[in-house]
Amino acid sequence: MFFGLALLAPLVGDVHHLVVHGANPNALFTALVLSLFLAMVCRGYWTGMFSGPTGLRCRTLTRTCDFAWEEIAGFELRPRKWRALTVSGIVIVTTAGEAVNTEFIVGPNGRQPSVGLYSEAELIDLMAELEAQRSAS
């Protein structure tokens, strides 16, 4: 986050030049880069899995998938590749037989090495909570 903020400082000067002195190619390019960066930061803030009374929404940096509770057959913890490592992650199994990976994964070898990786107990608790919500609807 601090690295991103450090990148913003020179970009703000270019955007100011764009607004005050008019368009030039460098200022336009900088404004575009700044806009894309801010869009990715906002999108990153809203990533995750969100449940509600009607269903489940899985949002990543690049896509959003919505599932009604009736479309979900269950949740499983399956192995998969992540950054060249084999990890376990929550998979949404739909009634159509489709398996959709989520961003919730157990760290390599069961440990929790960085932000965004969870312990196996945390994922099992989350799956139980989601299953209870699915059953209640």
Side-chain angles (χ1 to χ4, degrees):
M1 181 169 170
F2 292 115
F3 179 71
L5 291 175
L7 288 176
L8 284 178
L11 295 176
V12 170
D14 287 338
V15 172
H16 177 268
H17 184 272
L18 174 68
V19 171
V20 173
H21 301 290
N24 71 33
N26 290 335
L28 287 174
F29 178 74
T30 301
L32 176 65
V33 169
L34 178 61
S35 298
L36 291 174
F37 174 75
L38 290 176
M40 291 305 287
V41 167
C42 289
R43 182 73 183 186
Y45 180 74
W46 290 310
T47 61
M49 190 164 34
F50 307 95
S51 61
T54 58
L56 189 65
R57 171 173 281 174
C58 294
R59 183 179 289 139
T60 65
L61 281 177
T62 56
R63 67 183 190 144
T64 300
C65 296
D66 291 319
F67 302 97
W69 289 119
E70 299 81 33
E71 297 174 343
I72 299 174
F75 304 93
E76 296 179 3
L77 200 56
R78 292 186 183 176
R80 69 174 190 232
K81 288 289 189 186
W82 180 77
R83 296 186 184 173
L85 300 170
T86 299
V87 296
S88 296
I90 292 180
V91 174
I92 300 169
V93 181
T94 66
T95 54
E98 180 184 9
V100 179
N101 289 330
T102 68
E103 295 296 313
F104 291 90
I105 59 174
V106 176
N109 302 321
R111 49 189 168 68
Q112 195 170 351
S114 65
V115 175
L117 302 179
Y118 303 87
S119 70
E120 189 168 355
E122 289 173 318
L123 289 188
I124 290 171
D125 290 344
L126 176 60
M127 287 183 358
E129 181 182 321
L130 290 171
E131 195 63 51
Q133 286 182 349
R134 184 179 73 85
S135 298
S137 62

